[in-house]
Amino acid sequence: MNLSLYFVTPDGAEDLEQLVAAAVRGGATLVQLRDKHRSDAELIPLARRLVAALEAQGVPLIVNDRIEVVLASGAAGLHVGQGDLGVAEARRRIGPDRLLGLSVEAPEHLEALPLGVIDYVGAGPVRATASKPDHAPPIGFEGLARLVAAAPVPAVAIGGLGAGDARAVKAAGAAGMAVVSAIGAAADPEAAARALALEWGRA
């Protein structure tokens, strides 16, 4: 599991498959399908196509909060938030071999975690972000470092991150950075992903 450049798809993106392909060509190491608007029935065939395309590249597809989509599509994993399905139940349903990620916003979210259930945490939001209007208050890079230090598993930073942030994210101890608009809203998503991947490698 390489969390270094974790691309989260923007809600309602047009040409989503082309966008994901461009992000991966540029160096995205993991892709999360996140869509709050489409139904499971709409997402399952899309997820299946993404799984087939990404497997050839060795890049896992994670699905946000849609366990039925994970099970029906053969996706590599599931990501849940604090208000979603509990991690123990999520692990029971997806089985031992899929990846399971959890969003955490404060150290207390880590205190009650059962050991050996999740594979990574998404820590943030580091900054305010328009891609998730209902996010928790930003924690900044100091807050990120505290979450990373408290996490029993690798952490990927998320929330308003983009070009110029890799050094600070890496200094906080995170295993990678998750981005939405830094790739998804770029005029050239492949070039944007390539620049971010290069920056992470040099940080």
Side-chain angles (χ1 to χ4, degrees), residues 54-97:
L54 292 174
E55 275 182 345
Q57 310 291 325
V59 174
L61 179 73
I62 307 291
V63 178
N64 183 281
D65 187 32
R66 303 290 193 96
I67 198 161
E68 302 302 336
V69 176
V70 172
L71 296 175
S73 68
L78 174 72
H79 187 94
V80 294
Q82 290 297 316
D84 301 331
L85 183 70
V87 291
E89 175 65 9
R91 172 57 72 195
R92 185 189 70 77
R93 292 193 59 194
I94 67 172
D97 299 326

PDB file of all heavy atoms in Angstrom, residues 54-97:
ATOM      1  N   LEU A  54      -7.374   0.029 -13.269  1.00  0.00           N
ATOM      2  CA  LEU A  54      -6.325   0.306 -12.294  1.00  0.00           C
ATOM      3  C   LEU A  54      -5.508  -0.928 -11.951  1.00  0.00           C
ATOM      4  O   LEU A  54      -4.311  -0.820 -11.634  1.00  0.00           O
ATOM      5  CB  LEU A  54      -6.931   0.907 -11.024  1.00  0.00           C
ATOM      6  CG  LEU A  54      -7.529   2.308 -11.180  1.00  0.00           C
ATOM      7  CD1 LEU A  54      -8.231   2.738  -9.907  1.00  0.00           C
ATOM      8  CD2 LEU A  54      -6.456   3.312 -11.561  1.00  0.00           C
ATOM      9  N   GLU A  55      -6.127  -2.103 -11.995  1.00  0.00           N
ATOM     10  CA  GLU A  55      -5.378  -3.326 -11.679  1.00  0.00           C
ATOM     11  C   GLU A  55      -4.194  -3.491 -12.621  1.00  0.00           C
ATOM     12  O   GLU A  55      -3.125  -3.924 -12.207  1.00  0.00           O
ATOM     13  CB  GLU A  55      -6.301  -4.548 -11.752  1.00  0.00           C
ATOM     14  CG  GLU A  55      -7.062  -4.783 -10.475  1.00  0.00           C
ATOM     15  CD  GLU A  55      -7.944  -6.035 -10.518  1.00  0.00           C
ATOM     16  OE1 GLU A  55      -8.181  -6.564 -11.627  1.00  0.00           O
ATOM     17  OE2 GLU A  55      -8.380  -6.465  -9.439  1.00  0.00           O
ATOM     18  N   ALA A  56      -4.382  -3.110 -13.877  1.00  0.00           N
ATOM     19  CA  ALA A  56      -3.299  -3.223 -14.854  1.00  0.00           C
ATOM     20  C   ALA A  56      -2.131  -2.301 -14.496  1.00  0.00           C
ATOM     21  O   ALA A  56      -0.991  -2.554 -14.881  1.00  0.00           O
ATOM     22  CB  ALA A  56      -3.822  -2.886 -16.248  1.00  0.00           C
ATOM     23  N   GLN A  57      -2.428  -1.239 -13.746  1.00  0.00           N
ATOM     24  CA  GLN A  57      -1.392  -0.277 -13.328  1.00  0.00           C
ATOM     25  C   GLN A  57      -0.850  -0.587 -11.928  1.00  0.00           C
ATOM     26  O   GLN A  57       0.059   0.101 -11.463  1.00  0.00           O
ATOM     27  CB  GLN A  57      -1.979   1.146 -13.306  1.00  0.00           C
ATOM     28  CG  GLN A  57      -2.714   1.551 -14.560  1.00  0.00           C
ATOM     29  CD  GLN A  57      -1.804   1.715 -15.746  1.00  0.00           C
ATOM     30  OE1 GLN A  57      -0.671   2.159 -15.591  1.00  0.00           O
ATOM     31  NE2 GLN A  57      -2.267   1.334 -16.926  1.00  0.00           N
ATOM     32  N   GLY A  58      -1.439  -1.579 -11.264  1.00  0.00           N
ATOM     33  CA  GLY A  58      -1.011  -1.894  -9.900  1.00  0.00           C
ATOM     34  C   GLY A  58      -1.453  -0.868  -8.874  1.00  0.00           C
ATOM     35  O   GLY A  58      -0.826  -0.725  -7.823  1.00  0.00           O
ATOM     36  N   VAL A  59      -2.545  -0.156  -9.193  1.00  0.00           N
ATOM     37  CA  VAL A  59      -3.043   0.893  -8.294  1.00  0.00           C
ATOM     38  C   VAL A  59      -4.373   0.440  -7.689  1.00  0.00           C
ATOM     39  O   VAL A  59      -5.309   0.128  -8.419  1.00  0.00           O
ATOM     40  CB  VAL A  59      -3.235   2.221  -9.058  1.00  0.00           C
ATOM     41  CG1 VAL A  59      -3.899   3.273  -8.170  1.00  0.00           C
ATOM     42  CG2 VAL A  59      -1.894   2.736  -9.569  1.00  0.00           C
ATOM     43  N   PRO A  60      -4.483   0.395  -6.343  1.00  0.00           N
ATOM     44  CA  PRO A  60      -5.737  -0.035  -5.726  1.00  0.00           C
ATOM     45  C   PRO A  60      -6.841   1.015  -5.856  1.00  0.00           C
ATOM     46  O   PRO A  60      -6.570   2.218  -5.814  1.00  0.00           O
ATOM     47  CB  PRO A  60      -5.365  -0.221  -4.244  1.00  0.00           C
ATOM     48  CG  PRO A  60      -3.871  -0.171  -4.173  1.00  0.00           C
ATOM     49  CD  PRO A  60      -3.434   0.652  -5.341  1.00  0.00           C
ATOM     50  N   LEU A  61      -8.076   0.542  -5.988  1.00  0.00           N
ATOM     51  CA  LEU A  61      -9.244   1.416  -5.919  1.00  0.00           C
ATOM     52  C   LEU A  61      -9.914   1.233  -4.568  1.00  0.00           C
ATOM     53  O   LEU A  61     -10.285   0.122  -4.187  1.00  0.00           O
ATOM     54  CB  LEU A  61     -10.256   1.103  -7.023  1.00  0.00           C
ATOM     55  CG  LEU A  61     -11.512   1.998  -6.973  1.00  0.00           C
ATOM     56  CD1 LEU A  61     -11.199   3.411  -7.441  1.00  0.00           C
ATOM     57  CD2 LEU A  61     -12.659   1.408  -7.798  1.00  0.00           C
ATOM     58  N   ILE A  62     -10.066   2.339  -3.854  1.00  0.00           N
ATOM     59  CA  ILE A  62     -10.792   2.379  -2.587  1.00  0.00           C
ATOM     60  C   ILE A  62     -12.122   3.078  -2.853  1.00  0.00           C
ATOM     61  O   ILE A  62     -12.176   4.041  -3.608  1.00  0.00           O
ATOM     62  CB  ILE A  62     -10.000   3.184  -1.524  1.00  0.00           C
ATOM     63  CG1 ILE A  62      -8.573   2.657  -1.381  1.00  0.00           C
ATOM     64  CG2 ILE A  62     -10.725   3.193  -0.186  1.00  0.00           C
ATOM     65  CD1 ILE A  62      -8.454   1.302  -0.774  1.00  0.00           C
ATOM     66  N   VAL A  63     -13.191   2.616  -2.246  1.00  0.00           N
ATOM     67  CA  VAL A  63     -14.497   3.262  -2.403  1.00  0.00           C
ATOM     68  C   VAL A  63     -14.880   3.899  -1.074  1.00  0.00           C
ATOM     69  O   VAL A  63     -14.753   3.285  -0.012  1.00  0.00           O
ATOM     70  CB  VAL A  63     -15.574   2.256  -2.850  1.00  0.00           C
ATOM     71  CG1 VAL A  63     -16.935   2.944  -2.959  1.00  0.00           C
ATOM     72  CG2 VAL A  63     -15.193   1.617  -4.187  1.00  0.00           C
ATOM     73  N   ASN A  64     -15.340   5.140  -1.148  1.00  0.00           N
ATOM     74  CA  ASN A  64     -15.732   5.863   0.052  1.00  0.00           C
ATOM     75  C   ASN A  64     -17.140   5.484   0.484  1.00  0.00           C
ATOM     76  O   ASN A  64     -18.100   5.705  -0.263  1.00  0.00           O
ATOM     77  CB  ASN A  64     -15.641   7.378  -0.210  1.00  0.00           C
ATOM     78  CG  ASN A  64     -15.960   8.203   1.019  1.00  0.00           C
ATOM     79  OD1 ASN A  64     -17.119   8.392   1.365  1.00  0.00           O
ATOM     80  ND2 ASN A  64     -14.936   8.673   1.681  1.00  0.00           N
ATOM     81  N   ASP A  65     -17.261   4.880   1.668  1.00  0.00           N
ATOM     82  CA  ASP A  65     -18.540   4.759   2.372  1.00  0.00           C
ATOM     83  C   ASP A  65     -19.611   3.947   1.642  1.00  0.00           C
ATOM     84  O   ASP A  65     -20.769   4.006   2.018  1.00  0.00           O
ATOM     85  CB  ASP A  65     -19.065   6.186   2.665  1.00  0.00           C
ATOM     86  CG  ASP A  65     -20.314   6.177   3.544  1.00  0.00           C
ATOM     87  OD1 ASP A  65     -20.429   5.278   4.384  1.00  0.00           O
ATOM     88  OD2 ASP A  65     -21.183   7.056   3.372  1.00  0.00           O
ATOM     89  N   ARG A  66     -19.278   3.195   0.626  1.00  0.00           N
ATOM     90  CA  ARG A  66     -20.294   2.422  -0.109  1.00  0.00           C
ATOM     91  C   ARG A  66     -19.878   0.958  -0.096  1.00  0.00           C
ATOM     92  O   ARG A  66     -19.268   0.457  -1.041  1.00  0.00           O
ATOM     93  CB  ARG A  66     -20.426   2.921  -1.542  1.00  0.00           C
ATOM     94  CG  ARG A  66     -20.759   4.388  -1.694  1.00  0.00           C
ATOM     95  CD  ARG A  66     -22.188   4.712  -1.254  1.00  0.00           C
ATOM     96  NE  ARG A  66     -22.525   6.053  -1.711  1.00  0.00           N
ATOM     97  CZ  ARG A  66     -23.177   6.315  -2.819  1.00  0.00           C
ATOM     98  NH1 ARG A  66     -23.617   5.344  -3.595  1.00  0.00           N
ATOM     99  NH2 ARG A  66     -23.417   7.567  -3.172  1.00  0.00           N
ATOM    100  N   ILE A  67     -20.222   0.279   0.959  1.00  0.00           N
ATOM    101  CA  ILE A  67     -19.759  -1.096   1.123  1.00  0.00           C
ATOM    102  C   ILE A  67     -20.321  -2.018   0.051  1.00  0.00           C
ATOM    103  O   ILE A  67     -19.634  -2.928  -0.423  1.00  0.00           O
ATOM    104  CB  ILE A  67     -20.089  -1.602   2.550  1.00  0.00           C
ATOM    105  CG1 ILE A  67     -19.244  -2.830   2.878  1.00  0.00           C
ATOM    106  CG2 ILE A  67     -21.562  -1.887   2.730  1.00  0.00           C
ATOM    107  CD1 ILE A  67     -19.149  -3.109   4.354  1.00  0.00           C
ATOM    108  N   GLU A  68     -21.560  -1.765  -0.382  1.00  0.00           N
ATOM    109  CA  GLU A  68     -22.148  -2.617  -1.429  1.00  0.00           C
ATOM    110  C   GLU A  68     -21.392  -2.450  -2.751  1.00  0.00           C
ATOM    111  O   GLU A  68     -21.246  -3.410  -3.516  1.00  0.00           O
ATOM    112  CB  GLU A  68     -23.630  -2.292  -1.621  1.00  0.00           C
ATOM    113  CG  GLU A  68     -24.488  -2.457  -0.366  1.00  0.00           C
ATOM    114  CD  GLU A  68     -24.435  -3.867   0.230  1.00  0.00           C
ATOM    115  OE1 GLU A  68     -24.128  -4.823  -0.499  1.00  0.00           O
ATOM    116  OE2 GLU A  68     -24.683  -3.998   1.449  1.00  0.00           O
ATOM    117  N   VAL A  69     -20.913  -1.242  -3.003  1.00  0.00           N
ATOM    118  CA  VAL A  69     -20.138  -0.997  -4.224  1.00  0.00           C
ATOM    119  C   VAL A  69     -18.808  -1.739  -4.154  1.00  0.00           C
ATOM    120  O   VAL A  69     -18.359  -2.342  -5.141  1.00  0.00           O
ATOM    121  CB  VAL A  69     -19.923   0.516  -4.443  1.00  0.00           C
ATOM    122  CG1 VAL A  69     -19.039   0.773  -5.662  1.00  0.00           C
ATOM    123  CG2 VAL A  69     -21.264   1.226  -4.592  1.00  0.00           C
ATOM    124  N   VAL A  70     -18.175  -1.715  -2.992  1.00  0.00           N
ATOM    125  CA  VAL A  70     -16.919  -2.464  -2.808  1.00  0.00           C
ATOM    126  C   VAL A  70     -17.140  -3.941  -3.089  1.00  0.00           C
ATOM    127  O   VAL A  70     -16.402  -4.566  -3.870  1.00  0.00           O
ATOM    128  CB  VAL A  70     -16.380  -2.274  -1.367  1.00  0.00           C
ATOM    129  CG1 VAL A  70     -15.187  -3.195  -1.110  1.00  0.00           C
ATOM    130  CG2 VAL A  70     -15.995  -0.831  -1.124  1.00  0.00           C
ATOM    131  N   LEU A  71     -18.166  -4.507  -2.476  1.00  0.00           N
ATOM    132  CA  LEU A  71     -18.393  -5.952  -2.592  1.00  0.00           C
ATOM    133  C   LEU A  71     -18.769  -6.357  -4.009  1.00  0.00           C
ATOM    134  O   LEU A  71     -18.349  -7.408  -4.496  1.00  0.00           O
ATOM    135  CB  LEU A  71     -19.486  -6.372  -1.609  1.00  0.00           C
ATOM    136  CG  LEU A  71     -19.151  -6.183  -0.121  1.00  0.00           C
ATOM    137  CD1 LEU A  71     -20.360  -6.513   0.750  1.00  0.00           C
ATOM    138  CD2 LEU A  71     -17.949  -7.020   0.298  1.00  0.00           C
ATOM    139  N   ALA A  72     -19.552  -5.508  -4.689  1.00  0.00           N
ATOM    140  CA  ALA A  72     -20.029  -5.858  -6.025  1.00  0.00           C
ATOM    141  C   ALA A  72     -18.996  -5.608  -7.121  1.00  0.00           C
ATOM    142  O   ALA A  72     -19.059  -6.223  -8.186  1.00  0.00           O
ATOM    143  CB  ALA A  72     -21.306  -5.080  -6.345  1.00  0.00           C
ATOM    144  N   SER A  73     -18.052  -4.707  -6.851  1.00  0.00           N
ATOM    145  CA  SER A  73     -17.106  -4.316  -7.905  1.00  0.00           C
ATOM    146  C   SER A  73     -15.757  -5.007  -7.808  1.00  0.00           C
ATOM    147  O   SER A  73     -14.979  -4.965  -8.758  1.00  0.00           O
ATOM    148  CB  SER A  73     -16.875  -2.800  -7.863  1.00  0.00           C
ATOM    149  OG  SER A  73     -16.169  -2.445  -6.683  1.00  0.00           O
ATOM    150  N   GLY A  74     -15.471  -5.593  -6.640  1.00  0.00           N
ATOM    151  CA  GLY A  74     -14.140  -6.166  -6.456  1.00  0.00           C
ATOM    152  C   GLY A  74     -13.091  -5.126  -6.128  1.00  0.00           C
ATOM    153  O   GLY A  74     -11.893  -5.367  -6.304  1.00  0.00           O
ATOM    154  N   ALA A  75     -13.517  -3.957  -5.650  1.00  0.00           N
ATOM    155  CA  ALA A  75     -12.568  -2.904  -5.276  1.00  0.00           C
ATOM    156  C   ALA A  75     -11.631  -3.396  -4.172  1.00  0.00           C
ATOM    157  O   ALA A  75     -11.964  -4.295  -3.398  1.00  0.00           O
ATOM    158  CB  ALA A  75     -13.327  -1.659  -4.803  1.00  0.00           C
ATOM    159  N   ALA A  76     -10.468  -2.760  -4.109  1.00  0.00           N
ATOM    160  CA  ALA A  76      -9.430  -3.199  -3.171  1.00  0.00           C
ATOM    161  C   ALA A  76      -9.730  -2.827  -1.733  1.00  0.00           C
ATOM    162  O   ALA A  76      -9.127  -3.371  -0.807  1.00  0.00           O
ATOM    163  CB  ALA A  76      -8.083  -2.602  -3.577  1.00  0.00           C
ATOM    164  N   GLY A  77     -10.651  -1.868  -1.528  1.00  0.00           N
ATOM    165  CA  GLY A  77     -10.890  -1.474  -0.152  1.00  0.00           C
ATOM    166  C   GLY A  77     -12.030  -0.483   0.007  1.00  0.00           C
ATOM    167  O   GLY A  77     -12.686  -0.067  -0.952  1.00  0.00           O
ATOM    168  N   LEU A  78     -12.238  -0.106   1.272  1.00  0.00           N
ATOM    169  CA  LEU A  78     -13.321   0.772   1.699  1.00  0.00           C
ATOM    170  C   LEU A  78     -12.726   1.850   2.596  1.00  0.00           C
ATOM    171  O   LEU A  78     -11.819   1.576   3.392  1.00  0.00           O
ATOM    172  CB  LEU A  78     -14.353  -0.039   2.485  1.00  0.00           C
ATOM    173  CG  LEU A  78     -15.509   0.709   3.161  1.00  0.00           C
ATOM    174  CD1 LEU A  78     -16.514   1.208   2.115  1.00  0.00           C
ATOM    175  CD2 LEU A  78     -16.227  -0.197   4.171  1.00  0.00           C
ATOM    176  N   HIS A  79     -13.245   3.071   2.468  1.00  0.00           N
ATOM    177  CA  HIS A  79     -12.861   4.144   3.384  1.00  0.00           C
ATOM    178  C   HIS A  79     -14.122   4.650   4.066  1.00  0.00           C
ATOM    179  O   HIS A  79     -15.124   4.929   3.399  1.00  0.00           O
ATOM    180  CB  HIS A  79     -12.181   5.295   2.636  1.00  0.00           C
ATOM    181  CG  HIS A  79     -11.626   6.330   3.560  1.00  0.00           C
ATOM    182  ND1 HIS A  79     -10.320   6.315   4.002  1.00  0.00           N
ATOM    183  CD2 HIS A  79     -12.218   7.399   4.157  1.00  0.00           C
ATOM    184  CE1 HIS A  79     -10.130   7.332   4.829  1.00  0.00           C
ATOM    185  NE2 HIS A  79     -11.279   7.994   4.943  1.00  0.00           N
ATOM    186  N   VAL A  80     -14.075   4.782   5.386  1.00  0.00           N
ATOM    187  CA  VAL A  80     -15.228   5.248   6.147  1.00  0.00           C
ATOM    188  C   VAL A  80     -14.849   6.463   6.978  1.00  0.00           C
ATOM    189  O   VAL A  80     -13.687   6.661   7.334  1.00  0.00           O
ATOM    190  CB  VAL A  80     -15.827   4.146   7.056  1.00  0.00           C
ATOM    191  CG1 VAL A  80     -16.414   3.018   6.230  1.00  0.00           C
ATOM    192  CG2 VAL A  80     -14.791   3.609   8.040  1.00  0.00           C
ATOM    193  N   GLY A  81     -15.869   7.265   7.269  1.00  0.00           N
ATOM    194  CA  GLY A  81     -15.679   8.439   8.110  1.00  0.00           C
ATOM    195  C   GLY A  81     -16.211   8.186   9.515  1.00  0.00           C
ATOM    196  O   GLY A  81     -16.702   7.100   9.831  1.00  0.00           O
ATOM    197  N   GLN A  82     -16.153   9.217  10.344  1.00  0.00           N
ATOM    198  CA  GLN A  82     -16.589   9.078  11.732  1.00  0.00           C
ATOM    199  C   GLN A  82     -18.088   8.817  11.845  1.00  0.00           C
ATOM    200  O   GLN A  82     -18.532   8.156  12.765  1.00  0.00           O
ATOM    201  CB  GLN A  82     -16.207  10.332  12.523  1.00  0.00           C
ATOM    202  CG  GLN A  82     -14.716  10.473  12.745  1.00  0.00           C
ATOM    203  CD  GLN A  82     -14.139   9.341  13.577  1.00  0.00           C
ATOM    204  OE1 GLN A  82     -14.718   8.933  14.586  1.00  0.00           O
ATOM    205  NE2 GLN A  82     -12.995   8.804  13.160  1.00  0.00           N
ATOM    206  N   GLY A  83     -18.872   9.313  10.901  1.00  0.00           N
ATOM    207  CA  GLY A  83     -20.311   9.121  10.994  1.00  0.00           C
ATOM    208  C   GLY A  83     -20.831   7.956  10.185  1.00  0.00           C
ATOM    209  O   GLY A  83     -22.042   7.755  10.071  1.00  0.00           O
ATOM    210  N   ASP A  84     -19.917   7.181   9.601  1.00  0.00           N
ATOM    211  CA  ASP A  84     -20.318   6.073   8.740  1.00  0.00           C
ATOM    212  C   ASP A  84     -20.361   4.767   9.538  1.00  0.00           C
ATOM    213  O   ASP A  84     -20.327   4.764  10.759  1.00  0.00           O
ATOM    214  CB  ASP A  84     -19.351   5.949   7.550  1.00  0.00           C
ATOM    215  CG  ASP A  84     -19.305   7.218   6.702  1.00  0.00           C
ATOM    216  OD1 ASP A  84     -20.337   7.920   6.658  1.00  0.00           O
ATOM    217  OD2 ASP A  84     -18.260   7.496   6.103  1.00  0.00           O
ATOM    218  N   LEU A  85     -20.425   3.674   8.817  1.00  0.00           N
ATOM    219  CA  LEU A  85     -20.421   2.341   9.420  1.00  0.00           C
ATOM    220  C   LEU A  85     -19.213   2.165  10.333  1.00  0.00           C
ATOM    221  O   LEU A  85     -18.109   2.599  10.000  1.00  0.00           O
ATOM    222  CB  LEU A  85     -20.346   1.319   8.272  1.00  0.00           C
ATOM    223  CG  LEU A  85     -20.393  -0.158   8.596  1.00  0.00           C
ATOM    224  CD1 LEU A  85     -21.778  -0.538   9.085  1.00  0.00           C
ATOM    225  CD2 LEU A  85     -20.050  -0.953   7.337  1.00  0.00           C
ATOM    226  N   GLY A  86     -19.398   1.560  11.515  1.00  0.00           N
ATOM    227  CA  GLY A  86     -18.290   1.331  12.435  1.00  0.00           C
ATOM    228  C   GLY A  86     -17.216   0.453  11.807  1.00  0.00           C
ATOM    229  O   GLY A  86     -17.509  -0.413  10.986  1.00  0.00           O
ATOM    230  N   VAL A  87     -15.950   0.672  12.228  1.00  0.00           N
ATOM    231  CA  VAL A  87     -14.855  -0.042  11.569  1.00  0.00           C
ATOM    232  C   VAL A  87     -14.897  -1.554  11.815  1.00  0.00           C
ATOM    233  O   VAL A  87     -14.537  -2.330  10.933  1.00  0.00           O
ATOM    234  CB  VAL A  87     -13.481   0.530  11.954  1.00  0.00           C
ATOM    235  CG1 VAL A  87     -13.297   1.922  11.375  1.00  0.00           C
ATOM    236  CG2 VAL A  87     -13.258   0.521  13.454  1.00  0.00           C
ATOM    237  N   ALA A  88     -15.334  -1.971  12.985  1.00  0.00           N
ATOM    238  CA  ALA A  88     -15.393  -3.414  13.251  1.00  0.00           C
ATOM    239  C   ALA A  88     -16.412  -4.090  12.333  1.00  0.00           C
ATOM    240  O   ALA A  88     -16.147  -5.154  11.752  1.00  0.00           O
ATOM    241  CB  ALA A  88     -15.727  -3.675  14.720  1.00  0.00           C
ATOM    242  N   GLU A  89     -17.575  -3.453  12.162  1.00  0.00           N
ATOM    243  CA  GLU A  89     -18.604  -3.990  11.271  1.00  0.00           C
ATOM    244  C   GLU A  89     -18.140  -3.917   9.823  1.00  0.00           C
ATOM    245  O   GLU A  89     -18.370  -4.847   9.036  1.00  0.00           O
ATOM    246  CB  GLU A  89     -19.906  -3.211  11.458  1.00  0.00           C
ATOM    247  CG  GLU A  89     -21.031  -3.597  10.503  1.00  0.00           C
ATOM    248  CD  GLU A  89     -21.540  -5.026  10.671  1.00  0.00           C
ATOM    249  OE1 GLU A  89     -21.156  -5.712  11.635  1.00  0.00           O
ATOM    250  OE2 GLU A  89     -22.341  -5.456   9.816  1.00  0.00           O
ATOM    251  N   ALA A  90     -17.478  -2.823   9.467  1.00  0.00           N
ATOM    252  CA  ALA A  90     -16.967  -2.693   8.093  1.00  0.00           C
ATOM    253  C   ALA A  90     -15.963  -3.803   7.795  1.00  0.00           C
ATOM    254  O   ALA A  90     -16.022  -4.434   6.734  1.00  0.00           O
ATOM    255  CB  ALA A  90     -16.313  -1.329   7.914  1.00  0.00           C
ATOM    256  N   ARG A  91     -15.055  -4.049   8.723  1.00  0.00           N
ATOM    257  CA  ARG A  91     -14.064  -5.110   8.516  1.00  0.00           C
ATOM    258  C   ARG A  91     -14.741  -6.479   8.406  1.00  0.00           C
ATOM    259  O   ARG A  91     -14.362  -7.298   7.562  1.00  0.00           O
ATOM    260  CB  ARG A  91     -13.043  -5.093   9.661  1.00  0.00           C
ATOM    261  CG  ARG A  91     -12.065  -6.261   9.672  1.00  0.00           C
ATOM    262  CD  ARG A  91     -11.291  -6.368   8.367  1.00  0.00           C
ATOM    263  NE  ARG A  91     -10.298  -5.325   8.215  1.00  0.00           N
ATOM    264  CZ  ARG A  91      -9.713  -5.030   7.058  1.00  0.00           C
ATOM    265  NH1 ARG A  91     -10.047  -5.696   5.954  1.00  0.00           N
ATOM    266  NH2 ARG A  91      -8.816  -4.058   6.982  1.00  0.00           N
ATOM    267  N   ARG A  92     -15.723  -6.717   9.233  1.00  0.00           N
ATOM    268  CA  ARG A  92     -16.428  -8.000   9.178  1.00  0.00           C
ATOM    269  C   ARG A  92     -17.047  -8.211   7.800  1.00  0.00           C
ATOM    270  O   ARG A  92     -16.979  -9.312   7.240  1.00  0.00           O
ATOM    271  CB  ARG A  92     -17.511  -8.048  10.257  1.00  0.00           C
ATOM    272  CG  ARG A  92     -18.222  -9.394  10.362  1.00  0.00           C
ATOM    273  CD  ARG A  92     -19.422  -9.321  11.295  1.00  0.00           C
ATOM    274  NE  ARG A  92     -20.524  -8.539  10.755  1.00  0.00           N
ATOM    275  CZ  ARG A  92     -21.367  -8.973   9.813  1.00  0.00           C
ATOM    276  NH1 ARG A  92     -21.220 -10.177   9.273  1.00  0.00           N
ATOM    277  NH2 ARG A  92     -22.352  -8.200   9.389  1.00  0.00           N
ATOM    278  N   ARG A  93     -17.617  -7.143   7.245  1.00  0.00           N
ATOM    279  CA  ARG A  93     -18.328  -7.289   5.976  1.00  0.00           C
ATOM    280  C   ARG A  93     -17.395  -7.341   4.772  1.00  0.00           C
ATOM    281  O   ARG A  93     -17.690  -8.029   3.793  1.00  0.00           O
ATOM    282  CB  ARG A  93     -19.338  -6.155   5.822  1.00  0.00           C
ATOM    283  CG  ARG A  93     -20.480  -6.262   6.840  1.00  0.00           C
ATOM    284  CD  ARG A  93     -21.630  -5.355   6.497  1.00  0.00           C
ATOM    285  NE  ARG A  93     -22.195  -5.649   5.181  1.00  0.00           N
ATOM    286  CZ  ARG A  93     -23.029  -4.838   4.534  1.00  0.00           C
ATOM    287  NH1 ARG A  93     -23.382  -3.692   5.087  1.00  0.00           N
ATOM    288  NH2 ARG A  93     -23.498  -5.165   3.342  1.00  0.00           N
ATOM    289  N   ILE A  94     -16.287  -6.627   4.798  1.00  0.00           N
ATOM    290  CA  ILE A  94     -15.399  -6.638   3.618  1.00  0.00           C
ATOM    291  C   ILE A  94     -14.382  -7.772   3.678  1.00  0.00           C
ATOM    292  O   ILE A  94     -13.738  -8.068   2.678  1.00  0.00           O
ATOM    293  CB  ILE A  94     -14.685  -5.284   3.405  1.00  0.00           C
ATOM    294  CG1 ILE A  94     -13.686  -4.988   4.524  1.00  0.00           C
ATOM    295  CG2 ILE A  94     -15.694  -4.165   3.220  1.00  0.00           C
ATOM    296  CD1 ILE A  94     -12.819  -3.756   4.263  1.00  0.00           C
ATOM    297  N   GLY A  95     -14.240  -8.387   4.851  1.00  0.00           N
ATOM    298  CA  GLY A  95     -13.302  -9.494   4.966  1.00  0.00           C
ATOM    299  C   GLY A  95     -11.897  -9.029   5.329  1.00  0.00           C
ATOM    300  O   GLY A  95     -11.609  -7.835   5.379  1.00  0.00           O
ATOM    301  N   PRO A  96     -10.990  -9.973   5.579  1.00  0.00           N
ATOM    302  CA  PRO A  96      -9.660  -9.636   6.094  1.00  0.00           C
ATOM    303  C   PRO A  96      -8.678  -9.124   5.046  1.00  0.00           C
ATOM    304  O   PRO A  96      -7.646  -8.557   5.393  1.00  0.00           O
ATOM    305  CB  PRO A  96      -9.166 -10.962   6.677  1.00  0.00           C
ATOM    306  CG  PRO A  96      -9.876 -12.003   5.849  1.00  0.00           C
ATOM    307  CD  PRO A  96     -11.222 -11.422   5.527  1.00  0.00           C
ATOM    308  N   ASP A  97      -8.968  -9.314   3.766  1.00  0.00           N
ATOM    309  CA  ASP A  97      -7.960  -9.060   2.743  1.00  0.00           C
ATOM    310  C   ASP A  97      -8.073  -7.707   2.060  1.00  0.00           C
ATOM    311  O   ASP A  97      -7.152  -7.286   1.367  1.00  0.00           O
ATOM    312  CB  ASP A  97      -8.012 -10.164   1.673  1.00  0.00           C
ATOM    313  CG  ASP A  97      -7.723 -11.533   2.269  1.00  0.00           C
ATOM    314  OD1 ASP A  97      -6.911 -11.605   3.217  1.00  0.00           O
ATOM    315  OD2 ASP A  97      -8.324 -12.516   1.813  1.00  0.00           O
TER     316      ASP A  97
END
